Amino acid sequence: MSMITLALSKGRIFDETLPLLAAAGIEVLEDPEKSRKLILPTNRPDVRVVLVRATDVPTYVEYGGADIGVTGKDTLIEHGGQGLYQPLDLRIAKCRVSVAVRSDFDYAQAVRQGSRLKVATKYTSIAREFFAAKGVHVDMVKLYGSMELAPLTGLADAIVDLVSTGNTLKANQLVEVARIMDISSYLVVNQAALKLKQAPLRRIIDAFASAIPAEKN
Ligand code: PRT
Ligand code: MG
């Protein structure tokens, strides 16, 4: 019996993947918010969950540290997706990538005038491609967290960040001025594992596929 290792990040991805795992007959036996363990057992002796940072999920699966994982499309695009089979859009952990500025910053005018825009973001690939397609020249500042702070401190004119309810932007007097793309989480599979552990992985992929939440409008 070969072991299947599933990479998940704590928080919304873990929480929203649980119902899909249940559909595959897999129950995680410990609560990651309470346990300090990084490897969680499941009710199935041949399936275990490894807890990694959200941005590390594609890397774990690419190099075979995990056979399968769940990761946001944002993270997948920034990683590049090399070596990953991406069979399913799970339609969970939905949000969007947007451009936001201080409410007193005239973004439309800055773009119209062809000004150089200082952009702070964790999503440099997504941001570069978006502004290049619009013909906007940008100076990119790479950040790893709290993008919302950048325009408030003068570090940047604009941020490119994930938005869900919009409450975080509002609380920091920022406004969304462009929607770049819709985001959801994907199932990613190591390509070698898919060949070597084909039957058990196919069972998990098929069970997930049949349990994906219906599209809401
Ligand atoms: O938080 P940490 O630094 O540990 O890691 P992470 O932010 O990479 O992980 P996590 O678990 O927060 O996010 C994992 C994935 O969830 C992301 O890659 C997205 O695909 C997805 N997701 C869905 C979100 C959100 N919704 C979301 N709202 N990830 C982050 N947010 C943040 C956003 O960055 C912003 O700070 O929530 C804030 C905005 O939320 P609203 O509701 O105020 O608009
Ligand atoms: Mg986060």
Side-chain angles (χ1 to χ4, degrees), residues 12 53-54 72 74-75 93 95 122 148 161-162 164-168:
R12 70 191 100 220
R53 272 299 286 266
D74 49 316
T75 306
C95 57
K122 175 173 159 186
E148 296 87 359
D161 195 6
L162 302 177
S164 173
T165 60
N167 290 339
T168 306

Side-chain angles (χ1 to χ4, degrees), residues 9-14 16 53-55 71-75 92-96 122-123 144-148 161-170 183-185:
S9 53
K10 277 205 252 186
R12 70 191 100 220
I13 288 187
F14 183 89
E16 296 187 35
R53 272 299 286 266
T55 43
T71 182
K73 187 176 167 195
D74 49 316
T75 306
I92 59 169
K94 285 183 170 185
C95 57
R96 56 192 184 270
K122 175 173 159 186
Y123 303 103
Y144 293 88
S146 301
M147 263 81 85
E148 296 87 359
D161 195 6
L162 302 177
V163 180
S164 173
T165 60
N167 290 339
T168 306
L169 293 181
K170 202 179 291 170
I183 296 293
S184 55
S185 281

Side-chain angles (χ1 to χ4, degrees), residues 44-58:
R44 291 248 311 258
D46 62 330
V47 181
R48 63 180 185 171
V49 170
V50 293
L51 296 175
V52 302
R53 272 299 286 266
T55 43
D56 290 335
V57 168

Side-chain angles (χ1 to χ4, degrees), residues 24-45:
I26 300 165
E27 191 190 326
V28 184
L29 297 178
E30 276 183 66
D31 178 352
E33 301 302 332
K34 293 190 182 123
S35 171
R36 289 177 179 275
K37 284 189 191 165
L38 297 174
I39 301 182
L40 305 180
T42 73
N43 63 324
R44 291 248 311 258

